[in-house]
Amino acid sequence: MTGKNIKSEAGILSANIAVIVTFLYLISVAMIFLVTGDKKLVILQTTWYLLGVMVIIFMRFISISYFEKYAVWLYGLGILMLAVVLIFGKEVNGAKRWLDLGVVSLQTSEFMKIFFILYLAKIIAHHREKKQQGQELLLFVKVFLVLIVPLVFIFKQPDLGTAIVFLLITCGMLFIGGLSKKIIAVAVISGSAIMGGLTYLIIFQRQILLNIGMKNYQFQRIDTWIDGSAVDADSAYNVEQAVLAVGSGGYVGNGMDPQVYVPERHTDFIFSMIGETTGLIGSAILIILYFFLMYYFIRTCFLTKTLYHTYVITGILIMMSYHMFQNIAMNIGLMPVTGIPLPFISYGGSAILANMLSIAIILSIQHQHYSSVFGSDPSFEKKEALTN
């Protein structure tokens, strides 16, 4: 593929990503207004999106190389934000995950995910660029140390769902980074042993987990997922109502008048409302939009020429893919309930800004190498002229 063709494809990818995000915004505000009737929430959600657009425009003038250069500082900032939440955070439903800023509440772990990806990508890329092929164990130790710090803070909140996201991001980026089969085998065996031990503790020794920070409501969510009939009605209520709402939508939905009440239906359980009002067809359209968004991320991975950018996009791809899967799956009873929002759809400023920052990073990567919807990259033009 020639330079001009690559530039053209990159511009098309950027435009397609922008179109998909616009459609997701329209779905988000439409559903929020439909299920709440609150124009204030629609205005706030729109405000978060507009701030996200400003971030994208701002990123147009910043080289992605700065994020690589200062990744460790962003990582440190994220750790500091997690620490501040534990000290001064607002406790909601037994969890301390939000920092109350007066006008809004900030969920700092949403931004820490991106800072973590930026720093982890730098560690893996530098390891590969130095061709330290015989030091795979050293890379594994470095990654473990970078991972364990935010995990400790997140477990203290507690937020098991977000902890799983960090683990999946780490495993996926290491796999793409070409970690040796021996180290992967050790990691898989160790992970399996940990999961086995955790499963044993959940079933037979819950008090041990309670002593180290887990909450009873987390066990109730797991019990509801395994067998909703075995727990009290209050514990299973949210999931049962969400599943009922999705099922009642049938193929074409019940229209703009939802009949099934679902708690938190404009945030964590907004997909159940999409299923009820638009049915299987509307739900499928949303999933198709997500599919193409992830596809365009993958295409960008193939277009980029640097390891660091490839690893960053991989991390964002894993993060968003799991968010989509986990949220949709918990709305239909296939996964335990967590506080993970539906990307670009659920109401909430922190999640929307973090999602838009992810888009800004990917568009910035496209712009630096080729061209984007905002213009062309002079450095690329110079390289192409030398090539020709």
Side-chain angles (χ1 to χ4, degrees):
M1 185 180 290
T2 65
K4 290 183 178 179
N5 289 337
I6 294 175
K7 287 172 60 180
S8 176
E9 181 176 356
I12 293 173
L13 288 176
S14 296
N16 287 341
I17 289 173
V19 170
I20 289 176
V21 171
T22 301
F23 275 113
L24 293 175
Y25 159 73
L26 294 174
I27 294 171
S28 175
V29 294
M31 293 308 305
I32 290 171
F33 182 73
L34 178 65
V35 300
T36 67
D38 192 340
K39 294 182 180 179
K40 180 181 178 181
L41 294 182
V42 173
I43 293 173
L44 286 173
Q45 187 79 337
T46 301
T47 301
W48 297 125
Y49 261 98
L50 290 176
L51 288 174
V53 172
M54 292 175 63
V55 170
I56 292 174
I57 296 173
F58 178 73
M59 289 279 290
R60 161 65 177 81
F61 301 100
I62 297 180
S63 172
I64 193 68
S65 61
Y66 284 107
F67 284 89
E68 181 178 7
K69 182 178 180 180
Y70 298 108
V72 64
W73 294 100
L74 292 173
Y75 174 83
L77 174 62
I79 296 298
L80 178 62
M81 292 166 65
L82 292 178
V84 169
V85 167
L86 283 182
I87 300 172
F88 303 105
K90 178 176 65 175
E91 185 169 328
V92 179
N93 296 327
K96 189 180 287 187
R97 305 172 187 170
W98 293 268
L99 188 62
D100 190 356
L101 301 179
V103 180
V104 295
S105 295
L106 188 69
Q107 190 171 2
T108 57
S109 60
E110 292 294 330
F111 300 98
M112 182 60 203
K113 294 172 190 175
I114 299 176
F115 298 158
F116 175 76
I117 290 171
L118 293 171
Y119 187 41
L120 185 60
K122 180 178 181 177
I123 291 175
I124 299 175
H126 283 200
H127 181 87
R128 291 286 167 250
E129 288 166 357
K130 293 179 181 179
K131 302 185 184 302
Q132 298 174 318
Q133 300 299 334
Q135 302 182 35
E136 300 296 334
L137 184 59
L138 176 61
L139 173 62
F140 188 77
V141 171
K142 288 180 181 178
V143 170
F144 174 79
L145 293 176
V146 171
L147 171 65
I148 196 65
V149 178
L151 279 188
V152 169
F153 283 104
I154 290 167
F155 270 118
K156 292 292 290 182
Q157 292 184 355
D159 190 351
L160 186 59
T162 297
I164 292 174
V165 175
F166 275 85
L167 289 171
L168 290 175
I169 289 171
T170 303
C171 292
M173 292 178 68
L174 281 175
F175 181 78
I176 296 297
L179 200 64
S180 70
K181 294 180 180 179
K182 291 182 180 179
I183 298 296
I184 292 177
V186 171
V188 170
I189 294 172
S190 301
S192 300
I194 292 172
M195 290 302 298
L198 184 60
T199 301
Y200 172 81
L201 292 176
I202 290 174
I203 297 175
F204 300 108
Q205 298 290 337
R206 292 188 172 183
Q207 189 57 47
I208 296 176
L209 296 176
L210 288 171
N211 291 338
I212 62 175
M214 285 193 70
K215 305 293 184 180
N216 280 315
Y217 76 85
Q218 293 175 311
F219 291 121
Q220 291 173 350
R221 289 177 174 180
I222 294 172
D223 293 338
T224 300
W225 173 56
I226 296 173
D227 184 6
S229 63
V231 298
D232 61 90
D234 290 339
S235 298
Y237 181 73
N238 286 19
V239 176
E240 290 178 348
Q241 290 298 105
V243 173
L244 179 61
V246 173
S248 68
Y251 288 104
V252 297
N254 298 325
M256 300 296 103
D257 185 24
Q259 301 297 319
V260 181
Y261 174 74
V262 180
E264 308 296 338
R265 57 184 182 173
H266 65 297
T267 54
D268 295 346
F269 288 96
I270 195 169
F271 181 79
S272 66
M273 293 295 96
I274 294 174
E276 182 184 1
T277 56
T278 65
L280 178 62
I281 294 176
S283 300
I285 290 173
L286 174 63
I287 293 173
I288 290 171
L289 287 174
Y290 280 146
F291 171 82
F292 276 105
L293 184 63
M294 297 301 100
Y295 168 75
Y296 295 139
F297 287 0
I298 295 172
R299 286 298 306 154
T300 303
C301 271
F302 283 106
L303 290 176
T304 186
K305 291 188 176 72
T306 69
L307 288 174
Y308 178 70
H309 297 162
T310 299
Y311 297 147
V312 168
I313 297 173
T314 298
I316 292 174
L317 175 66
I318 294 170
M319 176 186 70
M320 285 199 179
S321 296
Y322 180 72
H323 281 193
M324 297 167 192
F325 168 76
Q326 167 61 35
N327 185 277
I328 293 174
M330 82 177 190
N331 271 264
I332 57 179
L334 293 181
M335 291 289 285
V337 173
T338 65
I340 292 177
L342 189 60
F344 302 100
I345 302 295
S346 294
Y347 173 79
S350 299
I352 293 298
L353 284 177
N355 291 334
M356 294 297 279
L357 176 58
S358 298
I359 296 295
I361 290 171
I362 290 176
L363 293 181
S364 179
I365 289 173
Q366 292 178 351
H367 170 75
Q368 177 168 325
H369 285 285
Y370 318 101
S371 64
S372 73
V373 292
F374 300 108
S376 60
D377 187 346
S379 63
F380 181 89
E381 299 287 353
K382 183 177 180 180
K383 292 176 183 177
E384 186 180 12
L386 291 173
T387 303
N388 295 333

